[in-house]
Amino acid sequence: MKLKLYFLATLFALSCTAKTGLQAQVETANETDFNKLSESFLKRIRDDKDTQEIQDILANTTIEELDNALDTNDKRLAFWLNIYNGYIQVILQKNPELYDDRGSFFKLEQIKIAGEMVSFAKIEHGIIRKSQWEYGLGYIRKWFPGKFERKLRVNKPVYNVHFALNCGAKDCPPVAIYEWERLPEQLKIGTKKLLENTSEFNSETNVVKVTSLFSWFRGDFGGKGGIKKILKENEIIPSTKGVDIEYTNYDWTLYLDNFIEL
């Protein structure tokens, strides 16, 4: 009898110890803090630690639970940026050959969130960009998004996400761990850093060379006028008047583990 009681006490102690680990870090009043979970996801990837427990939590939650937890626009943006960037690392570190056919890779439903298999394309264009048609240059919305997308997409998309999403390529923005409380500040800093690293202004010809991201999603930036305004605000060009824009070729070479502190 004493041995049995000791065994049960040991099991209870072990279960309590386990609870003080990852679950204790991301649970508040028995509710999962999905923003903290997404941050832990990237931290574990950065530190070369196993992420299966986090993936299981993400897979087995419900749409309703996730919708209720992500109750502000910044919470949604930060969560989905971390999830997108994290799964890029997880999947391509394990199967880098998938990147040989990028078109299929981004459309493949290979990420399980809230019981649904979703693609990187759905997360980027459906959720983070609020149901934009992938090929619409930022000017055309999807007509009939599904329930998952409608319930979990952001309320207000922001252009800075294009300088925060890491798709695994060498010219992609580096991976930051986004905290919803600091998200606007982090996006602002990240945008300026990326534009400084990828832009080149020639004062003699009044031509600025910029990342192709501006071309692919021009509507998200407010068209050519909006692009110039962003470049001026980030001190890439001195004035928006008379400036011509050229878009540089994008380097799609696979480049993982590119983390940055913001």
Side-chain angles (χ1 to χ4, degrees), residues 122-186:
K122 176 171 280 190
I123 294 175
E124 178 179 3
H125 307 296
I127 295 177
I128 293 177
R129 297 181 64 221
K130 197 178 180 182
S131 299
Q132 282 287 333
W133 182 42
E134 184 176 352
Y135 305 106
L137 302 176
Y139 293 109
I140 304 173
R141 296 283 302 276
K142 287 184 184 180
W143 286 5
F144 304 110
K147 177 184 175 182
F148 184 93
E149 193 172 313
R150 294 195 313 272
K151 291 284 284 183
L152 299 177
R153 65 191 177 188
V154 303
N155 301 311
K156 182 181 179 182
V158 296
Y159 74 81
N160 310 74
V161 295
H162 295 297
F163 308 125
L165 282 170
N166 179 285
C167 63
K170 193 170 185 179
D171 272 357
C172 285
V175 179
I177 298 172
Y178 290 101
E179 305 167 18
W180 73 267
E181 301 94 336
R182 299 177 52 238
L183 185 63
E185 174 194 358
Q186 287 180 298

Side-chain angles (χ1 to χ4, degrees), residues 218-229:
R218 63 195 70 173
D220 291 5
F221 300 109
K224 187 170 286 188
I227 294 171
K228 291 181 181 181
K229 183 179 178 182

Side-chain angles (χ1 to χ4, degrees), residues 159 192 195 199 208-211 214 224-240 243-245:
Y159 74 81
K192 188 170 181 62
L195 292 181
S199 306
V208 61
K209 294 181 179 181
V210 297
T211 172
F214 277 123
K224 187 170 286 188
I227 294 171
K228 291 181 181 181
K229 183 179 178 182
I230 293 167
L231 293 172
K232 184 176 183 299
E233 288 174 350
N234 286 277
E235 302 178 317
I236 304 299
I237 57 177
S239 171
T240 59
V243 175
D244 289 323
I245 299 174

Side-chain angles (χ1 to χ4, degrees), residues 35-218:
N35 285 101
K36 290 295 182 186
L37 190 70
S38 73
E39 294 168 28
S40 295
F41 187 38
L42 276 176
K43 288 175 183 176
R44 284 176 174 247
I45 294 168
R46 181 195 60 194
D47 298 337
D48 198 25
K49 294 181 179 179
D50 184 71
T51 62
Q52 191 57 56
E53 184 182 358
I54 293 176
Q55 293 183 57
D56 290 342
I57 295 172
L58 291 168
N60 294 315
T61 187
T62 65
I63 292 176
E64 288 71 24
E65 184 180 6
L66 200 52
D67 179 33
N68 291 334
L70 304 176
D71 56 1
T72 71
N73 203 61
D74 284 348
K75 285 184 180 180
R76 295 194 174 215
L77 275 174
F79 173 81
W80 287 111
L81 285 172
N82 290 338
I83 294 304
Y84 183 103
N85 290 345
Y87 270 103
I88 284 285
Q89 303 295 314
V90 167
I91 293 173
L92 290 176
Q93 283 174 355
K94 186 176 181 180
N95 298 298
E97 70 279 359
L98 292 174
Y99 214 59
D100 294 341
D101 184 356
R102 292 189 305 275
S104 297
F105 171 73
F106 290 114
K107 291 182 176 63
L108 181 64
E109 294 179 342
Q110 55 190 319
I111 306 164
K112 192 172 184 180
I113 305 285
E116 301 247 353
M117 296 301 293
V118 297
S119 66
F120 286 107
K122 176 171 280 190
I123 294 175
E124 178 179 3
H125 307 296
I127 295 177
I128 293 177
R129 297 181 64 221
K130 197 178 180 182
S131 299
Q132 282 287 333
W133 182 42
E134 184 176 352
Y135 305 106
L137 302 176
Y139 293 109
I140 304 173
R141 296 283 302 276
K142 287 184 184 180
W143 286 5
F144 304 110
K147 177 184 175 182
F148 184 93
E149 193 172 313
R150 294 195 313 272
K151 291 284 284 183
L152 299 177
R153 65 191 177 188
V154 303
N155 301 311
K156 182 181 179 182
V158 296
Y159 74 81
N160 310 74
V161 295
H162 295 297
F163 308 125
L165 282 170
N166 179 285
C167 63
K170 193 170 185 179
D171 272 357
C172 285
V175 179
I177 298 172
Y178 290 101
E179 305 167 18
W180 73 267
E181 301 94 336
R182 299 177 52 238
L183 185 63
E185 174 194 358
Q186 287 180 298
L187 289 176
K188 184 177 180 180
I189 295 170
T191 294
K192 188 170 181 62
K193 283 180 178 291
L194 186 116
L195 292 181
E196 288 174 346
N197 291 333
T198 59
S199 306
E200 182 182 339
F201 176 64
N202 187 322
S203 58
E204 294 182 2
T205 61
N206 221 21
V207 172
V208 61
K209 294 181 179 181
V210 297
T211 172
S212 293
L213 292 168
F214 277 123
S215 177
W216 300 335
F217 305 106
R218 63 195 70 173

